[in-house]
DNA sequence: TATCGGTTGTTATGTTGTATCATCGCCCGA
DNA sequence: TCGGGCGATGATACAACATAACAACCGATA
């Protein structure tokens, strides 16, 4: 499954699925998906566009007056550590992970026109990355692959 | 040529070469490598580690008291537009380009131990990127490929 | 019940990047 | 030679992104 960014779809269903899966995974792992963390995950998932931490904060603050930057960053850090969201480095923004629960290396296609980002998981591409780093004798810890441009939909219009 | 980050070398020579090439390219292109821009390029090149804009500012201010954040960001923007430096998105930092003057798509190997970053140009990897995006019908404008980990040298130690 | 560790509250600050408008200096055309 | 246009720089302020440090809370468990 990849984010259905280019097609109309029942996004409430996306969100529900993501939250349900997150609850299951956190239970399995014996880590706590607290109300704040769950709410932040929901806020991130409400958009298929990567969302900035301060936008999350604005939304969170509507239901949680005590929310401050650390509140949000702690929740985001937890969700990243659990593989439930990703940070898009080139945007300083965060996106729900469409592959939570599976080990995966993903790449992102970021549309500069409509702002959506699609997470793709391309094995051949990842293999090419590994080959390149192996050649340099480099021990990989984290891969950031973010491709900006124009999505198919925006090219049409 | 790639950055010789892993090996001792005459780094003054690196810097001189980069500056000389930059002057030639800017002359060819009829754009102005002003004293500020050239100084910023030199500051970036003085390190094989990506350097933050405010670090550049601190250094620049030693010889140019009027320097302010916009001074530096304008110079960095110019140098990026001319392909003389790259921004490392995952570090919010800047690195001299080892392939200036050649059209190229590059990737970065960033060592978390020693802080150096190496620019590599891997055609097979880039082709895999293009294949992946083509499959999605995505029109690429910019590719960010940044791999963090441990360089060969730091693995030994 | 005492304590321990993880979560959250709270305040402040650090870091990175832009907006806006004024000024300067050079080139070129009248 | 004058003066307009334009790109570059000066200068001030602010926006956006992120973390430090310590206090308070709260549930689990010994
Ligand atoms: Zn993912
Ligand atoms: Zn689009
Ligand atoms: Zn380059
Ligand atoms: Zn290293």
């Amino acid at each position: 499954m990849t984010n259905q960014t280019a097609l109309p779809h029942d996004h409430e269903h996306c969100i529900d699925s993501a939250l349900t899966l997150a609850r299951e995974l956190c239970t399995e792992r014996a880590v706590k998906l607290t109300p704040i963390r769950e709410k932040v995950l929901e806020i991130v998932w409400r958009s298929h566009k990567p969302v900035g931490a301060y936008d999350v904060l604005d939304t969170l603050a509507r239901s949680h007056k005590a929310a401050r930057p650390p509140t949000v960053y702690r929740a985001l850090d937890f969700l990243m550590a659990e593989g439930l969201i990703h940070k898009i480095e080139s945007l300083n923004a965060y996106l729900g992970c469409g592959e939570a629960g599976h080990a995966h290396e993903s790449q992102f296609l970021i549309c500069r026109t409509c702002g959506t980002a699609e997470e793709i998981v391309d094995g051949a591409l990842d293999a090419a990355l590994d080959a390149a780093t192996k050649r340099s004798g480099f021990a990989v810890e984290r891969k950031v692959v973010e491709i900006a441009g124009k999505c198919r939909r925006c090219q049409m219009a």
Side-chain angles (χ1 to χ4, degrees), chain A:
Chain A
M1 166 187 155
T2 59
N3 291 341
Q4 302 299 307
T5 49
L7 300 170
H9 63 286
D10 180 354
H11 192 46
E12 289 300 325
H13 178 66
C14 284
I15 299 167
D16 286 347
S17 302
L19 292 181
T20 300
L21 177 55
R23 285 181 208 112
E24 291 170 5
L25 290 171
C26 289
T27 301
E28 273 177 28
R29 296 171 187 172
V31 295
K32 293 180 199 168
L33 189 63
T34 63
I36 288 177
R37 291 166 175 177
E38 184 170 329
K39 184 69 184 172
V40 167
L41 180 59
E42 183 198 330
I43 290 166
V44 170
W45 261 103
R46 286 230 155 259
S47 172
H48 274 303
K49 304 180 187 183
V51 56
Y54 278 70
D55 290 339
V56 172
L57 176 55
D58 289 343
T59 304
L60 179 63
R62 296 210 278 266
S63 61
H64 188 86
K65 289 196 133 187
R68 296 285 179 277
T71 316
V72 169
Y73 281 102
R74 286 164 180 161
L76 292 172
D77 287 347
F78 171 85
L79 296 169
M80 282 191 287
E82 295 302 325
L84 299 171
I85 64 173
H86 296 290
K87 180 174 186 182
I88 308 298
E89 295 288 352
S90 57
L91 298 176
N92 295 317
Y94 304 82
L95 183 67
C97 173
E99 301 283 338
H102 309 93
H104 65 287
E105 288 291 340
S106 50
Q107 302 88 37
F108 298 92
L109 305 181
I110 303 158
C111 181
R112 284 173 162 163
T113 302
C114 66
T116 60
E118 182 183 6
E119 177 176 5
I120 63 175
V121 177
D122 187 305
L125 173 47
D126 193 54
L129 277 166
D130 286 336
T133 54
K134 195 167 185 179
R135 202 169 304 133
S136 297
F138 192 90
V140 175
E141 293 170 4
R142 182 175 177 221
K143 298 166 185 168
V144 173
V145 180
E146 297 172 4
I147 299 158
K150 209 170 201 180
C151 72
R152 188 202 296 268
R153 200 171 190 75
C154 288
Q155 288 173 65
M156 304 301 176

